[in-house]
mmCIF file with all atom_site columns, all heavy atoms in Angstrom:
data_model
loop_
_atom_site.group_PDB
_atom_site.id
_atom_site.type_symbol
_atom_site.label_atom_id
_atom_site.label_alt_id
_atom_site.label_comp_id
_atom_site.label_asym_id
_atom_site.label_entity_id
_atom_site.label_seq_id
_atom_site.pdbx_PDB_ins_code
_atom_site.Cartn_x
_atom_site.Cartn_y
_atom_site.Cartn_z
_atom_site.occupancy
_atom_site.B_iso_or_equiv
_atom_site.pdbx_formal_charge
_atom_site.auth_seq_id
_atom_site.auth_comp_id
_atom_site.auth_asym_id
_atom_site.auth_atom_id
_atom_site.pdbx_PDB_model_num
ATOM 1   N N   . TYR B 1 58  ? 14.948  11.482  0.974  1.00 93.00 ? 601 TYR B N   1
ATOM 2   C CA  . TYR B 1 58  ? 14.452  10.043  1.083  1.00 93.00 ? 601 TYR B CA  1
ATOM 3   C C   . TYR B 1 58  ? 12.833  10.038  1.207  1.00 93.00 ? 601 TYR B C   1
ATOM 4   O O   . TYR B 1 58  ? 12.173  9.250   0.556  1.00 93.00 ? 601 TYR B O   1
ATOM 5   C CB  . TYR B 1 58  ? 14.896  9.325   2.330  1.00 93.00 ? 601 TYR B CB  1
ATOM 6   C CG  . TYR B 1 58  ? 16.376  8.835   2.104  1.00 93.00 ? 601 TYR B CG  1
ATOM 7   C CD1 . TYR B 1 58  ? 17.444  9.608   1.559  1.00 93.00 ? 601 TYR B CD1 1
ATOM 8   C CD2 . TYR B 1 58  ? 16.724  7.485   2.364  1.00 93.00 ? 601 TYR B CD2 1
ATOM 9   C CE1 . TYR B 1 58  ? 18.731  9.060   1.331  1.00 93.00 ? 601 TYR B CE1 1
ATOM 10  C CE2 . TYR B 1 58  ? 17.943  6.937   2.048  1.00 93.00 ? 601 TYR B CE2 1
ATOM 11  C CZ  . TYR B 1 58  ? 19.005  7.789   1.648  1.00 93.00 ? 601 TYR B CZ  1
ATOM 12  O OH  . TYR B 1 58  ? 20.118  7.217   1.300  1.00 93.00 ? 601 TYR B OH  1
ATOM 13  N N   . ASP B 1 106 ? 13.370  6.062   -5.427 1.00 88.00 ? 649 ASP B N   1
ATOM 14  C CA  . ASP B 1 106 ? 14.626  5.938   -5.810 1.00 88.00 ? 649 ASP B CA  1
ATOM 15  C C   . ASP B 1 106 ? 15.531  5.520   -4.763 1.00 88.00 ? 649 ASP B C   1
ATOM 16  O O   . ASP B 1 106 ? 16.634  4.955   -5.021 1.00 88.00 ? 649 ASP B O   1
ATOM 17  C CB  . ASP B 1 106 ? 15.148  7.205   -6.520 1.00 88.00 ? 649 ASP B CB  1
ATOM 18  C CG  . ASP B 1 106 ? 14.872  7.431   -7.986 1.00 88.00 ? 649 ASP B CG  1
ATOM 19  O OD1 . ASP B 1 106 ? 14.331  6.420   -8.557 1.00 88.00 ? 649 ASP B OD1 1
ATOM 20  O OD2 . ASP B 1 106 ? 15.094  8.494   -8.478 1.00 88.00 ? 649 ASP B OD2 1
ATOM 21  N N   . VAL B 1 111 ? 11.264  -3.962  -0.626 1.00 93.00 ? 654 VAL B N   1
ATOM 22  C CA  . VAL B 1 111 ? 9.829   -3.889  -0.073 1.00 93.00 ? 654 VAL B CA  1
ATOM 23  C C   . VAL B 1 111 ? 9.364   -5.300  0.469  1.00 93.00 ? 654 VAL B C   1
ATOM 24  O O   . VAL B 1 111 ? 9.728   -6.293  -0.193 1.00 93.00 ? 654 VAL B O   1
ATOM 25  C CB  . VAL B 1 111 ? 8.818   -3.131  -0.950 1.00 93.00 ? 654 VAL B CB  1
ATOM 26  C CG1 . VAL B 1 111 ? 8.626   -4.043  -2.249 1.00 93.00 ? 654 VAL B CG1 1
ATOM 27  C CG2 . VAL B 1 111 ? 7.660   -2.782  -0.342 1.00 93.00 ? 654 VAL B CG2 1
ATOM 28  N N   . PHE B 1 115 ? 1.391   -8.695  7.248  1.00 86.00 ? 658 PHE B N   1
ATOM 29  C CA  . PHE B 1 115 ? 0.240   -9.539  7.456  1.00 86.00 ? 658 PHE B CA  1
ATOM 30  C C   . PHE B 1 115 ? -1.084  -8.848  7.520  1.00 86.00 ? 658 PHE B C   1
ATOM 31  O O   . PHE B 1 115 ? -2.065  -9.413  7.710  1.00 86.00 ? 658 PHE B O   1
ATOM 32  C CB  . PHE B 1 115 ? 0.408   -10.556 8.601  1.00 86.00 ? 658 PHE B CB  1
ATOM 33  C CG  . PHE B 1 115 ? 1.359   -11.501 8.380  1.00 86.00 ? 658 PHE B CG  1
ATOM 34  C CD1 . PHE B 1 115 ? 2.701   -11.458 8.790  1.00 86.00 ? 658 PHE B CD1 1
ATOM 35  C CD2 . PHE B 1 115 ? 0.975   -12.587 7.596  1.00 86.00 ? 658 PHE B CD2 1
ATOM 36  C CE1 . PHE B 1 115 ? 3.661   -12.335 8.543  1.00 86.00 ? 658 PHE B CE1 1
ATOM 37  C CE2 . PHE B 1 115 ? 2.009   -13.718 7.276  1.00 86.00 ? 658 PHE B CE2 1
ATOM 38  C CZ  . PHE B 1 115 ? 3.315   -13.571 7.808  1.00 86.00 ? 658 PHE B CZ  1
ATOM 39  N N   . GLY B 1 117 ? -2.106  -6.368  5.303  1.00 83.00 ? 660 GLY B N   1
ATOM 40  C CA  . GLY B 1 117 ? -2.417  -5.765  4.018  1.00 83.00 ? 660 GLY B CA  1
ATOM 41  C C   . GLY B 1 117 ? -1.490  -4.550  3.613  1.00 83.00 ? 660 GLY B C   1
ATOM 42  O O   . GLY B 1 117 ? -1.674  -3.903  2.509  1.00 83.00 ? 660 GLY B O   1
ATOM 43  N N   . LYS B 1 118 ? -0.583  -4.202  4.540  1.00 88.00 ? 661 LYS B N   1
ATOM 44  C CA  . LYS B 1 118 ? 0.324   -3.064  4.210  1.00 88.00 ? 661 LYS B CA  1
ATOM 45  C C   . LYS B 1 118 ? 1.567   -3.678  3.659  1.00 88.00 ? 661 LYS B C   1
ATOM 46  O O   . LYS B 1 118 ? 1.869   -4.930  3.665  1.00 88.00 ? 661 LYS B O   1
ATOM 47  C CB  . LYS B 1 118 ? 0.603   -2.326  5.568  1.00 88.00 ? 661 LYS B CB  1
ATOM 48  C CG  . LYS B 1 118 ? -0.568  -1.619  6.081  1.00 88.00 ? 661 LYS B CG  1
ATOM 49  C CD  . LYS B 1 118 ? -0.158  -0.984  7.324  1.00 88.00 ? 661 LYS B CD  1
ATOM 50  C CE  . LYS B 1 118 ? -1.441  -0.409  8.118  1.00 88.00 ? 661 LYS B CE  1
ATOM 51  N NZ  . LYS B 1 118 ? -1.163  -0.030  9.488  1.00 88.00 ? 661 LYS B NZ  1
ATOM 52  N N   . ARG B 1 133 ? -2.291  0.419   2.893  1.00 84.00 ? 676 ARG B N   1
ATOM 53  C CA  . ARG B 1 133 ? -2.925  -0.371  1.858  1.00 84.00 ? 676 ARG B CA  1
ATOM 54  C C   . ARG B 1 133 ? -3.824  0.528   0.890  1.00 84.00 ? 676 ARG B C   1
ATOM 55  O O   . ARG B 1 133 ? -4.066  0.256   -0.194 1.00 84.00 ? 676 ARG B O   1
ATOM 56  C CB  . ARG B 1 133 ? -3.756  -1.527  2.373  1.00 84.00 ? 676 ARG B CB  1
ATOM 57  C CG  . ARG B 1 133 ? -4.754  -1.206  3.388  1.00 84.00 ? 676 ARG B CG  1
ATOM 58  C CD  . ARG B 1 133 ? -5.306  -2.456  3.938  1.00 84.00 ? 676 ARG B CD  1
ATOM 59  N NE  . ARG B 1 133 ? -6.340  -2.127  4.988  1.00 84.00 ? 676 ARG B NE  1
ATOM 60  C CZ  . ARG B 1 133 ? -5.999  -1.874  6.221  1.00 84.00 ? 676 ARG B CZ  1
ATOM 61  N NH1 . ARG B 1 133 ? -4.765  -2.160  6.671  1.00 84.00 ? 676 ARG B NH1 1
ATOM 62  N NH2 . ARG B 1 133 ? -6.837  -1.612  7.123  1.00 84.00 ? 676 ARG B NH2 1
ATOM 63  N N   . LEU A 2 61  ? -12.130 -3.024  8.059  1.00 80.00 ? 323 LEU A N   1
ATOM 64  C CA  . LEU A 2 61  ? -10.713 -2.929  7.817  1.00 80.00 ? 323 LEU A CA  1
ATOM 65  C C   . LEU A 2 61  ? -10.258 -1.744  7.040  1.00 80.00 ? 323 LEU A C   1
ATOM 66  O O   . LEU A 2 61  ? -9.085  -1.531  6.689  1.00 80.00 ? 323 LEU A O   1
ATOM 67  C CB  . LEU A 2 61  ? -10.264 -4.139  6.947  1.00 80.00 ? 323 LEU A CB  1
ATOM 68  C CG  . LEU A 2 61  ? -10.509 -5.522  7.817  1.00 80.00 ? 323 LEU A CG  1
ATOM 69  C CD1 . LEU A 2 61  ? -9.963  -6.685  6.952  1.00 80.00 ? 323 LEU A CD1 1
ATOM 70  C CD2 . LEU A 2 61  ? -9.619  -5.418  9.060  1.00 80.00 ? 323 LEU A CD2 1
ATOM 71  N N   . GLU A 2 68  ? -0.381  -5.374  13.423 1.00 84.00 ? 330 GLU A N   1
ATOM 72  C CA  . GLU A 2 68  ? -0.993  -6.607  12.659 1.00 84.00 ? 330 GLU A CA  1
ATOM 73  C C   . GLU A 2 68  ? -1.854  -7.382  13.648 1.00 84.00 ? 330 GLU A C   1
ATOM 74  O O   . GLU A 2 68  ? -2.950  -7.828  13.067 1.00 84.00 ? 330 GLU A O   1
ATOM 75  C CB  . GLU A 2 68  ? 0.253   -7.353  12.199 1.00 84.00 ? 330 GLU A CB  1
ATOM 76  C CG  . GLU A 2 68  ? 0.989   -6.690  11.065 1.00 84.00 ? 330 GLU A CG  1
ATOM 77  C CD  . GLU A 2 68  ? 2.225   -7.504  10.727 1.00 84.00 ? 330 GLU A CD  1
ATOM 78  O OE1 . GLU A 2 68  ? 2.153   -8.459  9.958  1.00 84.00 ? 330 GLU A OE1 1
ATOM 79  O OE2 . GLU A 2 68  ? 3.297   -7.036  11.104 1.00 84.00 ? 330 GLU A OE2 1
ATOM 80  N N   . HIS A 2 72  ? -5.883  -8.216  12.923 1.00 89.00 ? 334 HIS A N   1
ATOM 81  C CA  . HIS A 2 72  ? -6.477  -9.653  12.772 1.00 89.00 ? 334 HIS A CA  1
ATOM 82  C C   . HIS A 2 72  ? -7.502  -9.775  13.881 1.00 89.00 ? 334 HIS A C   1
ATOM 83  O O   . HIS A 2 72  ? -8.621  -10.490 13.766 1.00 89.00 ? 334 HIS A O   1
ATOM 84  C CB  . HIS A 2 72  ? -5.401  -10.668 12.898 1.00 89.00 ? 334 HIS A CB  1
ATOM 85  C CG  . HIS A 2 72  ? -4.883  -10.783 11.484 1.00 89.00 ? 334 HIS A CG  1
ATOM 86  N ND1 . HIS A 2 72  ? -5.294  -11.267 10.416 1.00 89.00 ? 334 HIS A ND1 1
ATOM 87  C CD2 . HIS A 2 72  ? -3.576  -10.250 11.020 1.00 89.00 ? 334 HIS A CD2 1
ATOM 88  C CE1 . HIS A 2 72  ? -4.403  -11.147 9.376  1.00 89.00 ? 334 HIS A CE1 1
ATOM 89  N NE2 . HIS A 2 72  ? -3.404  -10.540 9.830  1.00 89.00 ? 334 HIS A NE2 1
ATOM 90  N N   . GLN A 2 123 ? 0.167   -10.324 -2.246 1.00 88.00 ? 385 GLN A N   1
ATOM 91  C CA  . GLN A 2 123 ? 1.017   -9.088  -2.013 1.00 88.00 ? 385 GLN A CA  1
ATOM 92  C C   . GLN A 2 123 ? 2.550   -9.496  -2.096 1.00 88.00 ? 385 GLN A C   1
ATOM 93  O O   . GLN A 2 123 ? 3.254   -8.633  -2.490 1.00 88.00 ? 385 GLN A O   1
ATOM 94  C CB  . GLN A 2 123 ? 0.698   -8.708  -0.533 1.00 88.00 ? 385 GLN A CB  1
ATOM 95  C CG  . GLN A 2 123 ? -0.458  -7.765  -0.429 1.00 88.00 ? 385 GLN A CG  1
ATOM 96  C CD  . GLN A 2 123 ? -0.657  -7.223  0.975  1.00 88.00 ? 385 GLN A CD  1
ATOM 97  O OE1 . GLN A 2 123 ? -0.573  -7.931  1.865  1.00 88.00 ? 385 GLN A OE1 1
ATOM 98  N NE2 . GLN A 2 123 ? -0.608  -5.983  1.040  1.00 88.00 ? 385 GLN A NE2 1
ATOM 99  N N   . ASN A 2 131 ? 10.515  -5.548  -6.072 1.00 91.00 ? 393 ASN A N   1
ATOM 100 C CA  . ASN A 2 131 ? 11.954  -5.737  -5.743 1.00 91.00 ? 393 ASN A CA  1
ATOM 101 C C   . ASN A 2 131 ? 12.827  -6.137  -6.983 1.00 91.00 ? 393 ASN A C   1
ATOM 102 O O   . ASN A 2 131 ? 13.944  -5.641  -7.195 1.00 91.00 ? 393 ASN A O   1
ATOM 103 C CB  . ASN A 2 131 ? 12.172  -6.998  -4.809 1.00 91.00 ? 393 ASN A CB  1
ATOM 104 C CG  . ASN A 2 131 ? 11.604  -6.540  -3.392 1.00 91.00 ? 393 ASN A CG  1
ATOM 105 O OD1 . ASN A 2 131 ? 11.749  -5.388  -3.056 1.00 91.00 ? 393 ASN A OD1 1
ATOM 106 N ND2 . ASN A 2 131 ? 11.179  -7.487  -2.570 1.00 91.00 ? 393 ASN A ND2 1
ATOM 107 N N   . LYS A 2 141 ? 21.649  3.633   -8.238 1.00 55.00 ? 403 LYS A N   1
ATOM 108 C CA  . LYS A 2 141 ? 21.243  4.174   -6.948 1.00 55.00 ? 403 LYS A CA  1
ATOM 109 C C   . LYS A 2 141 ? 22.392  4.017   -6.045 1.00 55.00 ? 403 LYS A C   1
ATOM 110 O O   . LYS A 2 141 ? 22.748  4.881   -5.135 1.00 55.00 ? 403 LYS A O   1
ATOM 111 C CB  . LYS A 2 141 ? 20.038  3.631   -6.462 1.00 55.00 ? 403 LYS A CB  1
ATOM 112 C CG  . LYS A 2 141 ? 18.712  4.201   -7.041 1.00 55.00 ? 403 LYS A CG  1
ATOM 113 C CD  . LYS A 2 141 ? 17.483  3.631   -6.328 1.00 55.00 ? 403 LYS A CD  1
ATOM 114 C CE  . LYS A 2 141 ? 17.049  2.486   -6.989 1.00 55.00 ? 403 LYS A CE  1
ATOM 115 N NZ  . LYS A 2 141 ? 15.869  1.856   -6.420 1.00 55.00 ? 403 LYS A NZ  1
ATOM 116 N N   . HIS A 2 145 ? 24.416  6.767   -3.853 1.00 51.00 ? 407 HIS A N   1
ATOM 117 C CA  . HIS A 2 145 ? 24.464  6.623   -2.262 1.00 51.00 ? 407 HIS A CA  1
ATOM 118 C C   . HIS A 2 145 ? 25.924  6.755   -1.800 1.00 51.00 ? 407 HIS A C   1
ATOM 119 O O   . HIS A 2 145 ? 26.164  7.376   -0.924 1.00 51.00 ? 407 HIS A O   1
ATOM 120 C CB  . HIS A 2 145 ? 23.786  5.427   -1.899 1.00 51.00 ? 407 HIS A CB  1
ATOM 121 C CG  . HIS A 2 145 ? 23.500  5.315   -0.378 1.00 51.00 ? 407 HIS A CG  1
ATOM 122 N ND1 . HIS A 2 145 ? 22.812  6.469   0.165  1.00 51.00 ? 407 HIS A ND1 1
ATOM 123 C CD2 . HIS A 2 145 ? 23.759  4.541   0.567  1.00 51.00 ? 407 HIS A CD2 1
ATOM 124 C CE1 . HIS A 2 145 ? 22.611  6.226   1.427  1.00 51.00 ? 407 HIS A CE1 1
ATOM 125 N NE2 . HIS A 2 145 ? 23.232  4.989   1.780  1.00 51.00 ? 407 HIS A NE2 1
#
Side-chain angles (χ1 to χ4, degrees):
Chain B
Y601 277 55
D649 269 353
V654 64
F658 288 98
K661 295 175 188 169
R676 54 185 178 277
Chain A
L323 295 185
E330 292 170 75
H334 286 286
Q385 280 188 302
N393 286 335
K403 281 186 271 177
H407 196 49

